[in-house]
Amino acid sequence: AQTVTQSQPEMSVQEAETVTLSCTYDTSESDYYLFWYKQPPSRQMILVIRQEAYKQQNATENRFSVNFQKAAKSFSLKISDSQLGDAAMYFCASQGGSEKLVFGKGTKLTVNP
Amino acid sequence: DTGVSQNPRHKITKRGQNVTFRCDPISEHNRLYWYRQTLGQGPEFLTYFQNEAQLEKSRLLSDRFSAERPKGSFSTLEIQRTEQGDSAMYLCASSSGQGSTDTQYFGPGTRLTVL
């Protein structure tokens, strides 16, 4: 069984600053994928970034990057130059051995002007 | 590509009533997924379809829940004899089912309130 843990229920960051959201996971699969999804208030969930476990290089999408530590089963998300529009719930998720996504409980990110 | 759509967006019902939700996936997406999200939690997987075949069901999907995707396009999720514990956001997602970058795209969800 897969589990995903997000230990930070809430985080806040000043506009233009950098913030890191933590995620740890557990899986017995050798081939799996990791994701960060963003869910703005009353809006639908969108994919922020994905990482294939077999790739050693950390994924990057514009201001979003991950720190994937496979041995430690850690998958943190770094948001650089934070913008007001980044305010949302962020969910870490894993996928392996099955098509389903397993999500953490989420981290609420507040961006202060 | 108009995205995943779900109807209705909100549903209020009384305990014991039956409800049905609809999901229209992104055109030509082979895979369709249902998740349930309760307040303060991440989404939990319910079931998924590859075309019209229902390939996986969670133990969360009790016998009061049934999902169909009759022609491999839209899907319906029915809850019979609703209970207050069924109150949640029901999310639908779809993916192409092809290649190594098979991303799930989510719809806006149907929020169910059982009184």
Side-chain angles (χ1 to χ4, degrees), chain A residues 18-84:
Chain A
T18 296
V19 65
T20 298
L21 308 184
S22 301
C23 173
T24 57
Y25 64 93
D26 194 15
T27 180
S28 57
E29 301 293 330
S30 57
D31 186 17
Y32 56 93
Y33 301 85
L34 299 166
F35 306 82
W36 280 97
Y37 278 86
K38 169 185 177 182
Q39 189 176 42
S42 301
R43 295 181 60 187
Q44 63 203 73
M45 195 168 306
I46 58 174
L47 179 69
V48 175
I49 200 166
R50 63 177 279 154
Q51 173 83 41
E52 289 84 356
Y54 63 85
K55 290 186 177 179
Q56 294 186 345
Q57 186 173 7
N58 290 324
T60 299
E61 288 287 345
N62 300 314
R63 298 182 295 106
F64 299 87
S65 61
V66 298
N67 183 5
F68 175 44
Q69 300 290 327
K70 192 171 184 178
K73 295 185 177 177
S74 171
F75 183 62
S76 60
L77 174 69
K78 185 171 82 171
I79 307 174
S80 303
D81 186 25
S82 296
Q83 300 175 1
L84 295 178

Side-chain angles (χ1 to χ4, degrees), chain B residues 1-42:
Chain B
D1 183 352
T2 57
V4 179
S5 62
Q6 293 187 245
N7 287 289
R9 295 291 307 276
H10 303 274
K11 179 69 177 180
I12 299 174
T13 191
K14 293 182 179 179
R15 187 177 54 178
Q17 298 294 305
N18 299 343
V19 294
T20 299
F21 310 140
R22 175 177 171 130
C23 171
D24 287 88
I26 293 172
S27 178
E28 298 183 357
H29 271 191
N30 296 323
R31 291 180 178 162
L32 188 148
Y33 311 79
W34 286 99
Y35 293 84
R36 181 172 69 184
Q37 185 177 22
T38 54
L39 200 61
Q41 303 292 319

Side-chain angles (χ1 to χ4, degrees), chain B residues 50-67:
Chain B
Q50 172 86 27
N51 298 314
E52 65 274 12
Q54 189 174 18
L55 296 186
E56 187 174 353
K57 295 192 327 184
S58 163
R59 58 180 173 79
L60 293 175
L61 212 66
S62 75
D63 55 5
R64 296 186 298 108
F65 288 70
S66 62

Side-chain angles (χ1 to χ4, degrees), chain B residues 29-114:
Chain B
H29 271 191
N30 296 323
R31 291 180 178 162
L32 188 148
Y33 311 79
W34 286 99
Y35 293 84
R36 181 172 69 184
Q37 185 177 22
T38 54
L39 200 61
Q41 303 292 319
E44 294 176 292
F45 171 79
L46 293 177
T47 189
Y48 100 93
F49 293 84
Q50 172 86 27
N51 298 314
E52 65 274 12
Q54 189 174 18
L55 296 186
E56 187 174 353
K57 295 192 327 184
S58 163
R59 58 180 173 79
L60 293 175
L61 212 66
S62 75
D63 55 5
R64 296 186 298 108
F65 288 70
S66 62
E68 294 182 344
R69 195 183 183 197
K71 297 183 179 179
S73 57
F74 72 91
S75 175
T76 57
L77 178 67
E78 181 183 17
I79 308 174
Q80 296 182 328
R81 305 181 302 281
T82 52
E83 302 172 355
Q84 288 186 328
D86 297 332
S87 295
M89 177 76 85
Y90 290 84
L91 299 172
C92 177
S94 71
S95 70
S96 66
Q98 298 171 2
S100 61
T101 56
D102 190 24
T103 297
Q104 293 184 28
Y105 296 89
F106 282 81
T110 294
R111 182 169 295 282
L112 173 66
T113 301
V114 181

